[in-house]
Each structure stands twice: as structure tokens, then as C-alpha cells.
Amino acid sequence: MTVEEWKLKYNKSKPYSHFDKRVSISNVWSYISDPKKVSQHGFYPFIHYTINFNKYNKEAGIIQKKREIYYASHIDRCIYQYYAFLLNEAYNKRVIKDNINDVSVAYRNNLGKSNIDFSKSAFDFIRKSCSCYIMVGDFTNFFDKLDHKYLKKQICSLLEMHSLPDDHYAVFKNITHYSSWNLADLLEINGLQNDKHGRHELNSLPTVLSLKQFNKLKNLYIHPNTNKYGIPQGSPISAVLANIYMLEADKTINDYVRQLNGLYMRYSDDFIVILPVGQSDFHIHYEWIKNFLSTIDGVVLSPEKTQLYLYNHNSILSCNSTFETNVSNGKNMLNFLGFSFNGKEVTIRDKTISKYYYRLYRKAKTISNDAFMTPKGNRISCKNLYDQYSIKGATKNGGNFISYVYRANKAYNGTEPIDRSTKNHMFKIRKALNKPPKKKFE
């Protein structure tokens, strides 16, 4: 991707309000593309809030989760985006040189593929192996644990420099030693409620605070990250930094696995290793991978999410207990990148389908319980429900989950029961809407 193509793709300004006024990349191009100005730039704090949400699990039911959200000021976002582009271009060249272009597959701008394609590649490799061992792993709190010193070393290696240039160092320093200001405090300062309406009112302002207010209150409300590890997940540059962090590890593991005629693939903090049976003792290779990962600062392998399988004669067999003591076997089903493989067929993961129907039924239930009427006596349209969860919205505004199902079905050439769980979704929506409303008591 050329700089001009990148500018065209990411030029739009963002609608949210921050400590500075809204700008697009073209508005500030002469500033963010000047290394001297970037090296002297004063970065604003991120605005931070926590999302509390429920995840539905078929076995455990509703599980409460939370996610920390950080978003940068407008000028800072443009700088992070531009330097992410520069680093990503260097990264794309490096992985080709290191022969690991097909190893790290998340957050890439030159592969033209999605998790659908990558899952298919892994499952196809398993099938061609006829008989193989499989390790699926996950790194615990990956972004929160990235060691700053190690990250800096990897960026220097990527740029082939002993130390970071002043502009790159300014960006690095402010994404690692970042600071934040809680959204709840900003709402309170502006006399707004911490609810949907209050947040909407705040985002309608030119800035969340005047410059005078910012300077007066910053020492009271800014929270610095004093740790020597961690970057805010979701910032425009965090994804490429995570890939750069794993450059050396990806090459080492891939070289090891390739020598055994196997496959190693990593999608952010999820990875898979496939080793054909007969390549000496799998236990030796499994221990080597675990021991190697333990030597990388900030990379912690999640024990509960590490799963081991044996594929043989079109069947998947969980074999955790064969290689780990006091660890029970899981289901005889391999889950990777949102898809499940039982040795014979590939389907969309049950967890993903459950989440889709949980959200669909929750919205339909709300409409039904209100008897299709708003508190003001207006008729509630079901258009939004159908746009979000049915085939009617599959081609609108970037699509919906049904669009995703169709793309997956096409990528798998229609040979797998990808859409089995969603074929009757229209009937299920109508059935949910036709349920009698629950009685409401005063």
C-alpha cells in the first residue's frame, strides 16, 4: 500500500469528542509527516472507560465480562495511525525476508484474507497430514503484559537501528508510558449523567474540556501508566506493535516446526501448532514450545486455554491428559478462529452461534414485551432487528452476522455445514416476536 492509498483509506475524521478538535489526516498531514514535529509533540491522555457486558455460554450460562477501552485524541490518533502504517510496511518486508509471512496473520494489511481463510488453511493442513498432533494456545492478557524494554528492542531490530529515531521514540514513549482520563470524570465535570444520553451530549461538544479547564484539572484527573509493561489495546498502533513484539519468537518457533514438516500460525494472542505423527516424540516438541515461550518477557501461556489433540482417521481426540498431569481432556472438537472441526466437518463455533441468538432473542423479547409500542404510544418497527440479525440486512451497511456466515460458506466452497445453525433464523425471529408479552405490573 502506498502512502497516498493509505491516506485515502484512513482520511476520515472521528465523530467522538476529545481534548482537541476533530481533524482528518489530510488536515494535519504536514504536521504528522514531519519527524521533527512528531518528536516534539505533546500527546494528550487517552480517554478511558470500562465496558461491562454479558457473554453467553451454553454450559455456564451468562458470564459477566469487562473490557477496558482507551481512545486517543484526534491529532494523536493521526500520528499513531501514520506510524503504524510505517511500521507495518517495514514489518511486511521483514516477515517475507524471515520466511514467516504466513505465520502472523492478524492485523495485516497485505494478505487480503480474514480469519475465515486462515482457519481453513489450518484445517486443510490437518486433513492433508492424515495423522497429526495439534496444540492450540492463548497468551494471557497479551497487550497488558508486553514488556516495554523487549518491545523497544524488537522495534529497533525491525528498523535495523541501534536506537530509535527521535520521532519513533516519541511515539513509543507515549504508547508505553501512556496516561488516561476517566470518561466518568469528564461527564461529571460537564454536569452530564454517565449514561447513553450523557455520552451523546459529551460527544456533541467541540472538545470535552476547554484548554483552561484541562490545564487546571489535569493534575487531579490524569492517571499515568507507571508499569514497565502494557500498552492500551485498541489504539491505532497497538496491533502492529504486538506483531513486532513476536517477530523473533515467530521465526524461532516457525523454523523449529517447519523442520518437522509442521505448521505454526498465530492470530494475535491465539496460535496453533500442527505436527505430523511420526516426527519423533510429540511430548518433546510440546515441552520445547512451552519452555521457549516462557523465556519471552511478557508472554504467558494460558494453561486453561492450552488444548492438545490427536487427529487420526477423520476424528479429533482431545489428549491433554496424555501430556499434562492433573489436566483433564476437553471435548473432541478443535476450536480455532471462531470455527470448530471434529475431524469430519467444519462448523461455526457453538459459542459464536449462541452469542448471535442470545442477542437476537434479547432484542426481540424487548420488542415483544413492549407489545410493539413505545412509551409514547408509537408503533415499534422491527426493521432494525431484521437489519442486524437477518438476511434482510446482509447487504446493508457492511452487513451483519448472516453476511459473515455466507462469506464463510463461500470460502469453504459450500462443502461444510457452515450455515446449518442459521438456516432457520427468519423463522426463529418471527417466533420470538410472536411470543405473548409478559404482564407488566405497576
Side-chain angles (χ1 to χ4, degrees):
M1 182 185 294
T2 66
V3 175
E4 291 304 318
E5 289 172 336
W6 172 81
K7 285 169 64 178
L8 186 63
K9 183 176 181 179
Y10 294 101
N11 190 46
K12 289 184 179 179
S13 61
K14 298 295 182 180
Y16 60 78
S17 183
H18 215 286
F19 296 114
D20 60 343
K21 293 183 179 180
R22 298 166 180 81
V23 294
S24 64
I25 285 175
S26 61
N27 295 148
V28 293
W29 175 247
S30 62
Y31 184 89
I32 68 172
S33 61
D34 185 331
K36 185 176 181 180
K37 289 178 179 176
V38 172
S39 67
Q40 298 172 352
H41 178 72
F43 286 77
Y44 282 106
F46 285 85
I47 293 180
H48 164 254
Y49 65 98
T50 303
I51 292 180
N52 296 301
F53 59 99
N54 295 327
K55 294 191 76 173
Y56 180 76
N57 182 283
K58 186 178 287 188
E59 288 80 24
I62 297 174
I63 303 172
Q64 290 188 337
K65 296 280 188 177
K66 67 177 184 177
R67 181 176 297 140
E68 305 301 329
I69 304 297
Y70 296 86
Y71 56 103
S73 72
H74 298 286
I75 183 65
D76 295 353
R77 171 188 61 84
C78 293
I79 292 174
Y80 287 137
Q81 281 184 304
Y82 179 52
Y83 277 78
F85 166 74
L86 295 176
L87 290 173
N88 215 14
E89 291 297 298
Y91 179 85
N92 289 337
K93 293 176 183 177
R94 172 68 174 273
V95 292
I96 292 173
K97 178 183 175 182
D98 287 352
N99 196 30
I100 55 172
N101 190 43
D102 55 353
V103 169
S104 173
V105 293
Y107 315 125
R108 301 287 299 282
N109 62 0
N110 67 331
L111 297 180
K113 296 180 180 180
S114 70
N115 68 302
I116 298 171
D117 305 289
F118 303 131
S119 67
K120 185 176 186 299
S121 295
F123 298 147
D124 286 348
F125 190 92
I126 293 170
R127 281 170 162 156
K128 289 176 183 177
S129 299
C130 296
S131 183
C132 59
Y133 283 105
I134 305 155
M135 174 186 182
V136 176
D138 179 277
F139 304 137
T140 303
N141 299 326
F142 187 40
F143 288 85
D144 294 336
K145 292 184 179 293
L146 298 186
D147 182 82
H148 296 163
K149 187 177 180 180
Y150 186 81
L151 175 59
K152 185 180 177 182
K153 174 188 170 185
Q154 294 303 310
I155 300 173
C156 287
S157 173
L158 175 67
L159 299 177
E160 298 181 339
M161 296 178 176
H162 293 295
S163 60
L164 294 178
D166 290 344
D167 55 329
H168 277 275
Y169 179 72
V171 174
F172 167 80
K173 184 179 70 173
N174 283 281
I175 199 63
T176 52
H177 299 288
Y178 64 93
S179 61
S180 62
W181 194 312
N182 286 331
L183 176 61
D185 292 330
L186 289 168
L187 288 164
E188 184 178 356
I189 292 167
N190 281 278
L192 300 171
Q193 293 295 316
N194 191 1
D195 55 21
K196 185 177 180 180
H197 179 72
R199 292 188 290 272
H200 177 76
E201 286 293 310
L202 186 72
N203 284 323
S204 69
L205 301 174
T207 59
V208 292
L209 294 176
S210 67
L211 182 59
K212 183 178 179 180
Q213 286 176 305
F214 178 85
N215 289 328
K216 179 181 178 182
L217 300 172
K218 61 183 181 181
N219 291 334
L220 294 173
Y221 289 99
I222 290 179
H223 304 280
N225 174 38
T226 57
N227 298 320
K228 295 181 179 180
Y229 54 85
I231 59 175
Q233 185 176 359
S235 84
I237 201 172
S238 296
V240 66
L241 290 181
N243 276 343
I244 293 170
Y245 194 88
M246 293 296 293
L247 261 174
E248 187 177 317
D250 284 342
K251 177 169 173 50
T252 302
I253 296 175
N254 188 62
D255 288 349
Y256 183 90
V257 170
R258 283 281 181 91
Q259 289 179 350
L260 300 168
N261 300 313
L263 173 76
Y264 166 58
M265 183 187 296
R266 181 180 60 81
Y267 193 96
S268 187
D269 53 358
D270 295 309
F271 71 90
I272 189 169
V273 173
I274 306 166
L275 292 176
V277 170
Q279 297 294 331
S280 65
D281 188 352
F282 176 72
H283 188 272
I284 295 173
H285 307 311
Y286 171 55
E287 289 298 322
W288 181 91
I289 292 169
K290 286 199 304 177
N291 291 335
F292 172 72
L293 288 173
S294 69
T295 66
I296 304 170
D297 294 332
V299 173
V300 179
L301 191 60
S302 173
E304 64 273 13
K305 292 186 178 181
T306 301
Q307 297 293 318
L308 304 173
Y309 304 92
L310 171 64
Y311 171 78
N312 194 32
H313 299 300
N314 297 324
S315 68
I316 291 284
L317 179 67
S318 174
C319 56
N320 297 334
S321 61
T322 305
F323 302 99
E324 290 282 1
T325 57
N326 301 320
V327 176
S328 59
N329 291 331
K331 292 183 178 180
N332 297 323
M333 178 77 75
L334 168 62
N335 294 311
F336 186 58
L337 302 185
F339 292 85
S340 297
F341 179 51
N342 64 3
K344 295 180 181 178
E345 60 184 26
V346 178
T347 57
I348 293 180
R349 193 175 179 182
D350 282 349
K351 184 178 178 181
T352 306
I353 295 295
S354 296
K355 181 168 68 174
Y356 160 71
Y357 277 116
Y358 171 73
R359 291 176 175 175
L360 184 160
Y361 288 141
R362 183 178 60 184
K363 192 173 184 70
K365 184 179 179 181
T366 300
I367 295 172
S368 175
N369 284 345
D370 289 336
F372 295 84
M373 301 297 289
T374 69
K376 293 183 178 180
N378 297 319
R379 177 77 177 173
I380 296 177
S381 170
C382 296
K383 181 178 182 301
N384 185 255
L385 171 66
Y386 281 106
D387 282 350
Q388 288 186 41
Y389 299 104
S390 82
I391 189 174
K392 293 183 178 181
T395 59
K396 298 179 181 179
N397 301 321
N400 55 24
F401 181 70
I402 299 301
S403 316
Y404 175 79
V405 172
Y406 286 167
R407 289 199 305 274
N409 197 45
K410 183 178 179 180
Y412 277 90
N413 303 314
T415 58
E416 307 289 348
I418 298 292
D419 62 348
R420 179 167 59 199
S421 299
T422 57
K423 276 187 175 180
N424 296 324
H425 72 274
M426 288 293 287
F427 169 77
K428 291 179 179 179
I429 291 175
R430 287 192 289 267
K431 184 177 179 181
L433 289 172
N434 288 331
K435 278 190 175 181
K438 290 184 179 181
K439 291 183 179 180
K440 294 186 178 182
F441 299 94
E442 296 296 333

